[in-house]
Amino acid sequence: MKTIITFLTLVLSFSINAQDFTGKAIYKTSRKSNFKIGGDSKLTDQQKEQLQARFQKMNQKTFILNFDKYTSTYKQDVKLKAPKPNVGSTNVMMMSFGGSGEGSIYYKNIKEDRFTNQTEIMSKRFLVKDSLPNYKWEMSSESKNIGNYTCYKASFTRDVENVRVSIVNGESKEVKETVSVTTTAWYTPQIPVSNGPDDYQGLPGLILEINDGTTTIVCTEIVLNPSDKIKINEPEKGAVVNQTEYDEISRKKSKEMMERFKSRNGVDMGNGINIKIGG
């Protein structure tokens, strides 16, 4: 293990001295659907299948990480959207509350140990500024190839609070639960930047794959020193808050939206619908 770490350190020290080093990495994300419909729902089996398929498609996205030695931006690659299908006579609202979603720009400054996340909640723009997460990575000698790159395994475990909103017979109930989540990363010292997708960083090489048991992020393409010069700009527009303040705003707004949606005339949510918010 000591030999491996020494080798990685030498590679990192040697390569990081290159001036004007930039790159672009394309990531595909896939998240398990947390949308569940109880057996007593008024939806038909066909409508249930269509809803499950729509939620699954919502959780499959493409992101672009532009990076240099110390800074990066991570944002969704947005394509022209197809019209939303009408699921029978049932109205369903697809809800999103910030995070690394459409329109968000997640800027990292590794050298200064900070991030700026430009995101929105219900059309209001926020600029979340705080220190980068300090992940307690456990290094492993296990390796595998991802494309042409040799990658090494690292992981960490942390407790995460999830919030679930259950809607039964028109009444909503918020349930909080704390779960232990293990996140596994595969990084390559062949690209010696301590960076990765979303807010992940802190390893001696670019992270090419991440899995936390719910979401999988995999790099599908890397371009180093592209002919089109990459400009990495920190986002500047939005109400400035820290991460704790933003999380509280997000929880309140999501609850408000659920209450408003529940009370809308002509909307039949059915019985036993459970939606997870956040986490």
Side-chain angles (χ1 to χ4, degrees), residues 123-235:
S123 300
K124 182 173 181 179
R125 183 173 292 177
F126 290 89
L127 207 59
V128 187
K129 295 191 172 191
D130 218 320
S131 300
L132 286 168
N134 182 20
Y135 297 126
K136 305 296 184 181
W137 293 107
E138 293 185 10
M139 313 293 279
S140 169
S141 59
E142 187 176 347
S143 66
K144 71 174 183 178
N145 289 333
I146 297 178
N148 296 322
Y149 297 94
T150 299
C151 298
Y152 294 89
K153 181 180 178 181
S155 61
F156 68 88
T157 301
R158 60 174 173 167
D159 290 336
V160 176
E161 182 183 83
N162 291 331
V163 179
R164 295 181 182 275
V165 177
S166 298
I167 302 177
V168 181
N169 296 324
E171 295 295 327
S172 63
K173 181 180 180 182
E174 185 178 287
V175 178
K176 294 182 180 180
E177 59 181 3
T178 301
V179 295
S180 180
V181 175
T182 297
T183 299
T184 301
W186 294 90
Y187 66 94
T188 176
Q190 292 171 257
I191 305 177
V193 293
S194 183
N195 213 328
D198 205 358
D199 63 354
Y200 295 109
Q201 33 69 41
L203 289 169
L206 183 66
I207 298 171
L208 299 190
E209 183 177 321
I210 280 279
N211 189 310
D212 65 3
T214 300
T215 301
T216 300
I217 307 175
V218 180
C219 183
T220 59
E221 181 182 351
I222 297 174
V223 181
L224 298 178
N225 295 317
S227 55
D228 293 334
K229 189 174 180 180
I230 291 177
K231 294 183 179 179
I232 299 173
N233 298 316
E234 183 173 0

Side-chain angles (χ1 to χ4, degrees), residues 5-19:
I5 297 299
T6 301
F7 169 73
L8 297 184
T9 302
L10 288 173
V11 171
L12 184 61
S13 299
F14 176 78
S15 302
I16 206 70
N17 290 323
Q19 298 298 314

Side-chain angles (χ1 to χ4, degrees), residues 31 55 58-59 61 93-104 117-126 128 163-165 167 174 243 246-261 275-279:
R31 179 173 178 144
F55 269 89
M58 283 175 58
N59 291 328
K61 302 174 183 178
M93 179 181 290
M94 298 301 182
M95 289 165 290
S96 178
F97 304 100
S100 297
E102 183 178 329
S104 295
N117 183 20
Q118 180 178 285
T119 187
E120 292 186 0
I121 300 177
M122 298 173 67
S123 300
K124 182 173 181 179
R125 183 173 292 177
F126 290 89
V128 187
V163 179
R164 295 181 182 275
V165 177
I167 302 177
E174 185 178 287
Q243 188 64 57
Y246 176 78
D247 290 343
E248 183 60 29
I249 294 169
S250 181
R251 280 192 287 267
K252 288 181 179 179
K253 292 298 182 182
S254 63
K255 189 174 182 179
E256 287 176 13
M257 181 175 282
M258 292 296 295
E259 291 294 332
R260 189 183 309 167
F261 182 54
I275 301 176
K276 176 183 173 183
I277 297 174

